[in-house]
mmCIF file of all heavy atoms in Angstrom:
data_model
loop_
_atom_site.group_PDB
_atom_site.id
_atom_site.type_symbol
_atom_site.label_atom_id
_atom_site.label_comp_id
_atom_site.label_asym_id
_atom_site.label_seq_id
_atom_site.Cartn_x
_atom_site.Cartn_y
_atom_site.Cartn_z
ATOM 1 N N ALA A 96 -7.579 -2.614 27.923
ATOM 2 C CA ALA A 96 -8.023 -2.601 29.338
ATOM 3 C C ALA A 96 -9.569 -2.597 29.445
ATOM 4 O O ALA A 96 -10.077 -3.054 30.542
ATOM 5 C CB ALA A 96 -7.385 -1.415 30.092
ATOM 6 N N THR A 97 -10.210 -2.208 28.528
ATOM 7 C CA THR A 97 -11.720 -2.034 28.618
ATOM 8 C C THR A 97 -12.381 -3.374 28.289
ATOM 9 O O THR A 97 -13.573 -3.519 28.491
ATOM 10 C CB THR A 97 -12.316 -1.040 27.642
ATOM 11 O OG1 THR A 97 -11.892 -1.400 26.351
ATOM 12 C CG2 THR A 97 -11.645 0.383 28.019
ATOM 13 N N LEU A 98 -11.614 -4.359 27.771
ATOM 14 C CA LEU A 98 -12.230 -5.693 27.377
ATOM 15 C C LEU A 98 -12.308 -6.616 28.573
ATOM 16 O O LEU A 98 -11.774 -6.338 29.650
ATOM 17 C CB LEU A 98 -11.302 -6.239 26.312
ATOM 18 C CG LEU A 98 -11.230 -5.496 25.038
ATOM 19 C CD1 LEU A 98 -10.238 -6.250 24.062
ATOM 20 C CD2 LEU A 98 -12.599 -5.275 24.367
ATOM 21 N N SER A 99 -13.039 -7.660 28.377
ATOM 22 C CA SER A 99 -13.264 -8.731 29.482
ATOM 23 C C SER A 99 -11.832 -9.396 29.572
ATOM 24 O O SER A 99 -10.927 -9.292 28.799
ATOM 25 C CB SER A 99 -14.296 -9.816 29.035
ATOM 26 O OG SER A 99 -13.855 -10.606 27.972
ATOM 27 N N GLU A 100 -11.699 -10.210 30.594
ATOM 28 C CA GLU A 100 -10.449 -10.832 30.950
ATOM 29 C C GLU A 100 -9.960 -11.807 29.796
ATOM 30 O O GLU A 100 -8.785 -11.762 29.359
ATOM 31 C CB GLU A 100 -10.573 -11.526 32.235
ATOM 32 C CG GLU A 100 -9.299 -12.178 32.781
ATOM 33 C CD GLU A 100 -8.293 -11.190 33.363
ATOM 34 O OE1 GLU A 100 -8.779 -10.112 33.707
ATOM 35 O OE2 GLU A 100 -7.100 -11.544 33.554
ATOM 36 N N ALA A 101 -10.836 -12.597 29.260
ATOM 37 C CA ALA A 101 -10.495 -13.513 28.303
ATOM 38 C C ALA A 101 -10.170 -12.857 26.941
ATOM 39 O O ALA A 101 -9.182 -13.109 26.321
ATOM 40 C CB ALA A 101 -11.720 -14.554 27.983
ATOM 41 N N GLU A 102 -11.028 -11.774 26.612
ATOM 42 C CA GLU A 102 -10.669 -10.943 25.379
ATOM 43 C C GLU A 102 -9.343 -10.261 25.503
ATOM 44 O O GLU A 102 -8.631 -10.089 24.606
ATOM 45 C CB GLU A 102 -11.831 -10.045 25.098
ATOM 46 C CG GLU A 102 -13.094 -10.661 24.618
ATOM 47 C CD GLU A 102 -14.312 -9.710 24.540
ATOM 48 O OE1 GLU A 102 -14.217 -8.708 25.242
ATOM 49 O OE2 GLU A 102 -15.201 -10.024 23.728
ATOM 50 N N ARG A 103 -9.159 -9.663 26.706
ATOM 51 C CA ARG A 103 -7.922 -9.065 26.954
ATOM 52 C C ARG A 103 -6.678 -10.012 26.842
ATOM 53 O O ARG A 103 -5.621 -9.508 26.204
ATOM 54 C CB ARG A 103 -7.892 -8.323 28.255
ATOM 55 C CG ARG A 103 -6.771 -7.464 28.586
ATOM 56 C CD ARG A 103 -6.911 -6.724 29.846
ATOM 57 N NE ARG A 103 -5.732 -5.806 30.087
ATOM 58 C CZ ARG A 103 -5.094 -5.767 31.221
ATOM 59 N NH1 ARG A 103 -5.636 -6.395 32.343
ATOM 60 N NH2 ARG A 103 -4.049 -5.012 31.342
ATOM 61 N N ARG A 104 -6.809 -11.066 27.422
ATOM 62 C CA ARG A 104 -5.722 -12.106 27.314
ATOM 63 C C ARG A 104 -5.414 -12.475 25.842
ATOM 64 O O ARG A 104 -4.301 -12.563 25.423
ATOM 65 C CB ARG A 104 -6.043 -13.417 28.072
ATOM 66 C CG ARG A 104 -5.038 -14.468 28.067
ATOM 67 C CD ARG A 104 -5.383 -15.656 28.971
ATOM 68 N NE ARG A 104 -5.707 -15.365 30.228
ATOM 69 C CZ ARG A 104 -7.012 -15.512 30.777
ATOM 70 N NH1 ARG A 104 -7.897 -15.995 30.009
ATOM 71 N NH2 ARG A 104 -7.229 -15.211 31.996
ATOM 72 N N THR A 105 -6.552 -12.678 25.032
ATOM 73 C CA THR A 105 -6.298 -12.989 23.655
ATOM 74 C C THR A 105 -5.767 -11.854 22.877
ATOM 75 O O THR A 105 -4.740 -12.068 22.104
ATOM 76 C CB THR A 105 -7.713 -13.289 22.954
ATOM 77 O OG1 THR A 105 -8.326 -14.374 23.789
ATOM 78 C CG2 THR A 105 -7.519 -13.702 21.510
ATOM 79 N N GLY A 106 -6.101 -10.633 23.156
ATOM 80 C CA GLY A 106 -5.586 -9.465 22.472
ATOM 81 C C GLY A 106 -4.136 -9.271 22.871
ATOM 82 O O GLY A 106 -3.225 -8.995 22.030
ATOM 83 N N LEU A 107 -3.768 -9.509 24.173
ATOM 84 C CA LEU A 107 -2.363 -9.390 24.633
ATOM 85 C C LEU A 107 -1.408 -10.452 23.933
ATOM 86 O O LEU A 107 -0.358 -10.259 23.524
ATOM 87 C CB LEU A 107 -2.289 -9.459 26.113
ATOM 88 C CG LEU A 107 -2.735 -8.267 26.934
ATOM 89 C CD1 LEU A 107 -2.871 -8.611 28.437
ATOM 90 C CD2 LEU A 107 -1.849 -7.060 26.672
ATOM 91 N N LEU A 108 -2.058 -11.656 23.737
ATOM 92 C CA LEU A 108 -1.303 -12.732 23.119
ATOM 93 C C LEU A 108 -0.924 -12.330 21.594
ATOM 94 O O LEU A 108 0.096 -12.631 21.128
ATOM 95 C CB LEU A 108 -1.989 -14.065 23.196
ATOM 96 C CG LEU A 108 -1.868 -14.663 24.629
ATOM 97 C CD1 LEU A 108 -2.791 -15.922 24.708
ATOM 98 C CD2 LEU A 108 -0.477 -15.185 24.883
ATOM 99 N N HIS A 109 -2.054 -11.784 20.973
ATOM 100 C CA HIS A 109 -1.817 -11.369 19.558
ATOM 101 C C HIS A 109 -0.736 -10.294 19.529
ATOM 102 O O HIS A 109 0.177 -10.329 18.663
ATOM 103 C CB HIS A 109 -3.130 -10.882 18.971
ATOM 104 C CG HIS A 109 -4.014 -11.911 18.529
ATOM 105 N ND1 HIS A 109 -3.769 -12.740 17.526
ATOM 106 C CD2 HIS A 109 -5.301 -12.392 19.096
ATOM 107 C CE1 HIS A 109 -4.756 -13.641 17.390
ATOM 108 N NE2 HIS A 109 -5.713 -13.374 18.382
#
Side-chain angles (χ1 to χ4, degrees):
T97 60
L98 300 176
S99 69
E100 187 74 18
E102 290 173 334
R103 185 171 180 225
R104 183 179 304 114
T105 303
L107 287 170
L108 284 170
H109 282 289

